[in-house]
Every structure is written in structure tokens, then in C-alpha cells.
Amino acid sequence: MKDLLKQINKAFDNKIRLGIMSVLVHKKSATFNEIKDLMGLTDGNLSSNASVLEEGGYIEIKKQFIKKKSNTSYHITEKGKISFKLHLDALSKIIQGKYDTKS
Amino acid sequence: MKDLLKQINKAFDNKIRLGIMSVLVHKKSATFNEIKDLMGLTDGNLSSNASVLEEGGYIEIKKQFIKKKSNTSYHITEKGKISFKLHLDALSKIIQGKYDTKS
DNA sequence: TTTTTTTACTTTGCAAACAAAAGTAAAACA
DNA sequence: TGTTTTACTTTTGTTTGCAAAGTAAAAAAA
């Protein structure tokens, strides 16, 4: 269990960032407003949590202009995919009690 | 997704408290030292997190003396069982992408 | 027997993490 | 031309988390 707890990735151990990663795993790409509306977040909350994921190299933030309007979209990185899977595996084992009760 | 995020229980949204609940769901009862060793926690860390779960009414803390030594054991409550299940259900849906991408 | 160490916890205090509010900048509208 | 809206980012006050310090009793040592 000790080892499983160490495998919990701090970047994903927050419901908002977990949600963002989940969306990007399933959708491959999403815009700022899509995620914001889907998750019911405030602008600041999404912005700062996305930054944490970007700083860790788990997602990429692409800023472009569509019809003179800025448009920010999020994409999962290869590192993000791998790390998120490892995180979910550990989480799943903790929840399902798949650890030795002796250590 | 918004609704699922609201169903995430703050008391369980922390890896240590999630781990404690997992142990107590599977074992029904465990002592301070059992959990501490199993999870590799410091005394203070276990004590304070267990208090959070107790204050929420999710676990019961029983203190007794065994051969003149104090012995603290933890047990899940009925409320704990129900609430934890609801939490895990929401978590699982978020992870598996079981939400409408339109809201 | 007193003193020191160990066991079994709880409380405190400081650092890190959150989230709402405030701020910025450009476009659209009136 | 100003003022409102859109699309974000940054700041700031609060909450949370965790290690270290504290407490108290038993056991071991001296």
C-alpha cells in the first residue's frame, strides 16, 4: 500500500486536474470554454489548474486566433497519457484493496 | 461532469483518507499501528487524517486498554460505507468518461 | 527507586495548495 | 467613442497538509 501511495501523482491528485485529464484522454483535444462549461469551473480555476498540468509536461496549451478572437486549446502529451495511466492504476489498486495487508 | 464533481466528497478526496477508508472497507477494523505501518504514515499524519474522517462521521475511533497499553482501533460507520461508495461511483464515472460532453 | 527510553498517540505551526476576486487586453457592440 | 463582453491570467486571502514538537503512561535500565 505504501508503494501504491507513492505512485499517486500529485499533479493528478485533485479533482479538477483529474477531470481535465479525463476529458483530454477521451477527447484528445478541448478548448478553454469547452472544459470550463463541461466542468462548471471559474476562469481562474481552470487557468491555474491547466498551468499546473502544463508545467508538469502532461498537457500542451495551444493558443491561436480564430476570426480575430484568441482561442486556447488543450491537448494531452505522450508523457501525460503514460503518467495518467500509471496514476489510475495505482488509484484503482488502492480502492480495490489490491495490496498486501502485511506491509 | 459538473454534477459528478459535486459528488466528490472532500473528506475522501485525499490519498491518505482514501487509503484509510479503503482499508476499513476491506478489513472492517484496524488498529492505529496496523494502518500506520501498512500505509507508511507518520503518527501525526494518521492521527489528524483519522480525526477528519471521524468528525465527518465516516469512521469510529475506539480507545481501549490492552494489557495496560492504550490501543486505538478504527471502524467504518454505516454512513461511511454509503458515502464512500457514492464517492467511488462518481470518481469512477469521471475517470471512465461517463459524462455527457455537452454539459 | 529514580531516571531514561520507548510506545502511543495529539497538537501546533509553518509551508504549500486552492479558489474567488481582481486585473488585463482585445474585440464587439451601441 | 465609450462601454460591455469575451477570453483569459495573476493576485490574494483562506484552507489544507504534514512534520516536528508535545503529552502521558508503561517498561526498561541504572
Side-chain angles (χ1 to χ4, degrees):
Chain A
M1 167 83 133
K2 217 180 315 214
D3 340 330
L4 291 174
L5 286 173
K6 279 181 199 151
Q7 288 171 45
I8 292 294
N9 189 327
K10 214 171 182 185
F12 307 140
D13 194 19
N14 163 288
K15 64 180 175 183
I16 293 174
R17 293 192 299 270
L18 187 90
I20 295 172
M21 290 303 290
S22 168
V23 171
L24 296 179
V25 160
H26 294 100
K27 286 200 63 185
K28 297 288 164 191
S29 164
T31 67
F32 184 89
N33 283 323
E34 275 168 10
I35 297 184
K36 184 188 144 189
D37 295 344
L38 185 62
M39 301 184 61
L41 303 176
T42 59
D43 292 6
N45 210 345
L46 173 52
S47 177
S48 52
N49 279 293
S51 292
V52 171
L53 292 173
E54 190 196 23
E55 278 153 30
Y58 304 115
I59 68 170
E60 253 184 44
I61 306 186
K62 281 185 192 158
K63 284 156 203 282
Q64 54 176 334
F65 277 82
I66 293 179
K67 287 190 218 158
K68 293 203 174 182
K69 280 264 184 185
S70 74
N71 182 279
T72 299
S73 63
Y74 300 109
H75 312 261
I76 197 165
T77 62
E78 201 54 35
K79 178 184 176 186
K81 275 185 219 172
I82 295 165
S83 305
F84 193 54
K85 188 179 183 323
L86 291 174
H87 174 83
L88 293 185
D89 286 349
L91 194 60
S92 160
K93 282 176 192 162
I94 292 170
I95 291 168
Q96 292 182 259
K98 289 189 178 166
Y99 41 79
D100 201 326
T101 42
K102 278 157 206 152
S103 66
Chain B
M1 166 83 132
K2 217 179 316 211
D3 341 331
L4 290 174
L5 286 173
K6 278 181 198 150
Q7 288 172 45
I8 292 295
N9 190 326
K10 216 172 181 184
F12 307 141
D13 193 19
N14 164 288
K15 64 180 175 181
I16 292 173
R17 293 193 296 271
L18 186 90
I20 295 172
M21 290 303 290
S22 168
V23 170
L24 296 179
V25 160
H26 294 100
K27 287 198 63 185
K28 297 287 164 195
S29 163
T31 66
F32 184 89
N33 283 323
E34 276 168 10
I35 297 185
K36 184 188 144 189
D37 294 344
L38 185 62
M39 300 185 61
L41 303 176
T42 59
D43 292 8
N45 210 346
L46 173 52
S47 177
S48 52
N49 279 293
S51 291
V52 171
L53 292 173
E54 190 196 24
E55 278 154 29
Y58 304 115
I59 68 171
E60 253 184 42
I61 306 187
K62 280 183 194 161
K63 284 155 203 283
Q64 55 178 334
F65 277 82
I66 293 180
K67 286 191 219 158
K68 295 203 176 182
K69 280 266 188 186
S70 73
N71 181 280
T72 299
S73 62
Y74 300 110
H75 312 262
I76 198 164
T77 62
E78 201 54 37
K79 178 184 177 186
K81 274 185 219 172
I82 294 164
S83 305
F84 193 54
K85 190 180 180 323
L86 291 174
H87 174 83
L88 293 185
D89 286 348
L91 194 60
S92 160
K93 282 176 193 162
I94 292 170
I95 290 168
Q96 292 181 260
K98 289 188 179 168
Y99 42 80
D100 201 325
T101 43
K102 277 158 207 152
S103 65

